[in-house]
């Protein structure tokens, strides 16, 4: 019997976020936001919260005729080093520069999430932070990693769940947050509102 209260609408085309929701038994409808992202803060936490809100509101505006208990989820992830935001690299050269910044030290990954409950109009926004420790990498190792192509569509030029796992020394916080969504926190917010999962 399906005990899930309503439909999840993911305002993102990210296969990693979709997979994280599948991992906990949720099968989202995928409606990527078409809104142009506007960063209005240099603070990483405020940035991801604002970008997630923009995405969720854009998609929620398309779902106002739904009568079920749908919830729209927008999410955005950035990597930050010393407060400097690293987005997705625009070139292999930029990816190498980002990896040079990250190697041999700690950095932070922030994911902002906005959940809009279509029926009630309730909206919540939060951000999670995970500290990631990266091993030292020489130039040859950085070039070999970039040559895999994996860094090119990922904030900070790496995917913790892929080849880059070789260079992860440790993390403090939610691993799934680094992948792209703190899915445990998302589910706890749903359950706090009476959703029965699984």
């Amino acid at each position: 019997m399906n005990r899930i209260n309503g439909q999840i609408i993911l305002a993102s085309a990210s296969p990693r976020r979709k997979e994280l929701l599948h991992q906990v038994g949720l099968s989202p409808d995928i409606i990527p936001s078409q809104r142009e992202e506007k960063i209005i803060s240099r603070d990483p936490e405020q940035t991801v919260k604002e970008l997630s809100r923009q995405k969720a509101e854009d998609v929620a505006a398309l779902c106002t005729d739904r009568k079920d208990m749908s919830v729209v989820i927008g999410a955005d992830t950035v990597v930050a080093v010393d407060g400097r935001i690293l987005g997705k690299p625009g070139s292999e050269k930029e990816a190498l520069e980002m990896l040079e910044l990250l190697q041999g030290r700690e950095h932070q990954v922030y994911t902002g999430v906005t959940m809009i409950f279509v029926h009630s109009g309730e909206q919540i926004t939060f951000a999670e932070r995970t500290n990631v420790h990266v091993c030292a990498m020489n130039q040859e190792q950085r070039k070999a990693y970039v040559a895999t192509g994996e860094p090119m569509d990922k904030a900070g030029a790496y995917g913790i769940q892929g080849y880059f796992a070789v260079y992860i020394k440790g993390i403090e916080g939610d691993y799934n947050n680094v992948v792209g969504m703190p899915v445990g926190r998302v589910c706890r917010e749903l359950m706090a509102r009476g959703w029965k999962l699984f």
Side-chain angles (χ1 to χ4, degrees):
M1 183 172 87
N2 185 356
R3 293 168 57 86
I4 296 172
N5 297 43
Q7 183 58 44
I8 303 291
I9 302 163
L10 182 61
S12 168
S14 165
R16 292 168 291 278
R17 293 188 180 116
K18 179 182 177 182
E19 181 58 34
L20 286 170
L21 290 169
H22 274 285
Q23 179 183 309
V24 294
L26 299 172
S27 298
D29 287 343
I30 307 299
I31 307 178
S33 170
Q34 301 302 313
R35 183 172 175 175
E36 183 181 349
E37 297 179 355
K38 294 182 180 177
I39 297 176
I40 58 173
S41 172
R42 292 187 178 183
D43 177 78
E45 182 172 339
Q46 291 306 313
T47 294
V48 293
K49 287 167 73 173
E50 175 60 24
L51 292 177
S52 76
R53 186 188 62 77
Q54 291 175 19
K55 292 176 181 179
E57 289 181 349
D58 180 46
V59 173
L62 305 174
C63 302
T64 54
D65 59 339
R66 287 189 179 236
K67 303 301 182 189
D68 60 10
M69 301 294 287
S70 297
V71 59
V72 176
I73 301 177
D76 197 83
T77 302
V78 300
V79 170
V81 181
D82 297 331
R84 174 186 169 190
I85 296 173
L86 303 181
K88 296 175 184 178
S91 65
E92 290 190 356
K93 179 176 181 289
E94 191 175 357
L96 285 167
E97 291 170 354
M98 289 184 183
L99 293 172
E100 171 65 23
L101 283 173
L102 299 177
Q103 64 90 24
R105 59 174 300 183
E106 174 188 307
H107 66 273
Q108 288 69 46
V109 177
Y110 295 85
T111 297
V113 176
T114 294
M115 303 171 69
I116 300 177
F117 295 83
V118 177
H119 184 67
S120 67
E122 181 186 6
Q123 178 173 322
I124 58 171
T125 300
F126 58 86
E128 295 284 329
R129 183 183 91 174
T130 303
N131 295 329
V132 181
H133 303 264
V134 179
C135 296
M137 300 171 69
N138 61 37
Q139 187 175 32
E140 182 181 346
Q141 290 168 329
R142 295 194 298 274
K143 285 183 175 179
Y145 177 61
V146 170
T148 69
E150 186 176 272
M152 302 314 297
D153 68 337
K154 295 174 180 67
Y158 76 89
I160 195 170
Q161 75 280 18
Y163 297 121
F164 201 73
V166 171
Y167 300 109
I168 299 296
K169 192 173 183 178
I171 69 168
E172 299 161 24
D174 184 348
Y175 168 84
N176 291 325
N177 189 56
V178 184
V179 177
M181 181 185 289
V183 71
R185 172 77 183 272
V186 168
C187 289
R188 290 192 296 276
E189 296 291 351
L190 290 172
M191 291 187 291
R193 287 157 179 81
W195 282 51
K196 293 179 173 60
L197 306 183
F198 316 130

